[in-house]
């Protein structure tokens, strides 16, 4: 008696996408059309490369960061997504990671860089990156400081006068960010890069603070703390 044989795994129907299916190649016209339709175009390159030049309206979720966690946390369920990667290897690795959280059927993808993703006559968008020391020199006139860390992290200390919207709520609360140039920070730079891309896509003037939060006090900025609250762990890189 060899026991009961396990039931075979169901095979996908012909043409049915799987986690390993290569998504259709998205050319510049399709990328523009997807953006116009309100779909998510996700640029997987580093936050440094994205800030230097990207397709206007696209969002930056670094392939080398916490891609699956962050994107699954933020993208509306069922929202079509186009993936932009610097290489086929980066794209394949991102697909494998995203498949684990149920984002296994990208509507399209393209590799290369902004030159391959923009229509003729279009130029890339960009925004500056800065440190807390540069923020201290900048001053506060016309500046909004946006903190996108978790509640528990902020309880350990925050910049005086800053606005707090946790990263996973930024997309649906963009209208709550006051007017002015937004200097957005987190604990180390990764989440600030995501938030900066969301704000940039919404047409806001933004500066991504790519720095560790400990540097804020060292730069002479006023950091206050809730001594009764928990000092939260850092979920950043």
């Amino acid at each position: 008696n060899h026991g009961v044989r396990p039931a075979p795994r169901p095979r996908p129907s012909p043409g049915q996408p799987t986690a390993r299916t290569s998504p259709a190649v998205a050319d510049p016209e399709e990328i523009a059309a997807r953006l116009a339709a309100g779909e998510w175009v996700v640029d997987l390159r580093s936050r440094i490369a994205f800030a230097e030049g990207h397709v206007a309206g696209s969002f930056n979720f670094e392939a080398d960061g916490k891609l699956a966690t962050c994107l699954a946390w933020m993208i509306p369920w069922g929202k079509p997504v186009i993936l932009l990667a610097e290489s086929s290897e980066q794209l394949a690795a991102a697909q494998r990671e995203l498949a684990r959280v149920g984002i296994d059927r990208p509507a399209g993808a393209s590799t290369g860089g902004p030159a391959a993703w923009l229509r003729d006559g279009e130029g890339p968008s960009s925004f500056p990156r800065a440190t807390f020391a540069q923020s201290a020199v900048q001053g506060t006139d016309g500046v909004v400081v946006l903190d996108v860390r978790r509640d528990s992290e902020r309880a350990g200390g925050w910049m005086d006068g800053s606005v707090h919207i946790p990263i996973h709520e930024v997309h649906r609360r963009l209208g709550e960010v006051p007017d002015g140039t937004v200097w957005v920070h987190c604990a180390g730079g990764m989440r600030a890069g995501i938030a900066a891309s969301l704000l940039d896509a919404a047409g806001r003037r933004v500066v991504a603070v790519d720095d560790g939060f400990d540097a804020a006090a060292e730069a002479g900025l006023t950091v206050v703390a809730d001594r009764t609250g928990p000092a939260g762990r850092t979920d950043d890189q």
Side-chain angles (χ1 to χ4, degrees):
N1 184 0
H2 296 289
V4 178
R5 294 178 62 187
R9 292 183 180 180
R11 294 183 178 180
S13 303
Q16 179 181 342
T18 69
R20 291 185 295 273
T21 300
S22 295
V25 176
D27 62 18
E29 290 294 339
E30 181 173 1
I31 292 170
R34 296 277 185 175
L35 284 168
E39 298 179 10
W40 280 39
V41 174
V42 173
D43 190 326
L44 301 167
R45 297 175 302 145
S46 74
R47 59 183 180 265
I48 297 172
F50 184 88
E52 290 176 349
H54 56 269
V55 177
S58 61
F59 304 145
N60 181 218
F61 289 80
E62 294 179 289
D64 294 336
K66 299 179 180 180
L67 171 64
T69 300
C70 292
L71 186 56
W73 207 7
M74 296 174 65
I75 191 169
W77 180 253
K79 175 75 74 173
V81 61
I82 300 285
L83 299 177
L84 305 180
E86 61 187 1
S87 67
S88 56
E89 292 79 12
Q90 185 182 67
L91 176 61
Q95 278 192 266
R96 288 192 296 270
E97 185 177 348
L98 291 173
R100 299 190 187 105
V101 293
I103 305 174
D104 57 357
R105 300 181 183 182
S110 184
T111 58
W117 305 330
L118 292 164
R119 294 176 294 186
D120 290 343
E122 290 182 332
S125 292
S126 64
F127 53 77
R129 296 164 50 249
T131 63
F132 280 110
Q134 290 169 314
S135 173
V137 172
Q138 166 69 25
T140 58
D141 288 346
V143 169
V144 177
V145 177
L146 176 63
D147 179 351
V148 297
R149 296 174 299 159
R150 287 174 177 260
D151 292 341
S152 57
E153 292 174 279
R154 184 172 169 88
W158 63 90
M159 286 180 60
D160 190 28
S162 62
V163 176
H164 180 226
I165 303 177
I167 183 61
H168 61 285
E169 299 178 7
V170 170
H171 188 254
R172 66 175 184 270
R173 295 176 60 187
L174 288 171
E176 298 178 29
V177 181
D179 293 339
T181 299
V182 185
W183 286 61
V184 58
H185 79 85
C186 56
M190 183 187 72
R191 288 170 291 174
I194 295 172
S197 73
L198 298 175
L199 288 156
D200 177 74
R204 297 297 301 269
R205 293 183 61 186
V206 64
V207 178
V209 179
D210 199 352
D211 204 356
F213 185 68
D214 289 346
E218 295 169 3
L221 296 165
T222 302
V223 175
V224 294
D226 177 4
R227 298 303 178 189
T228 64
R233 63 185 178 86
T234 296
D235 291 327
D236 212 343
Q237 296 178 341

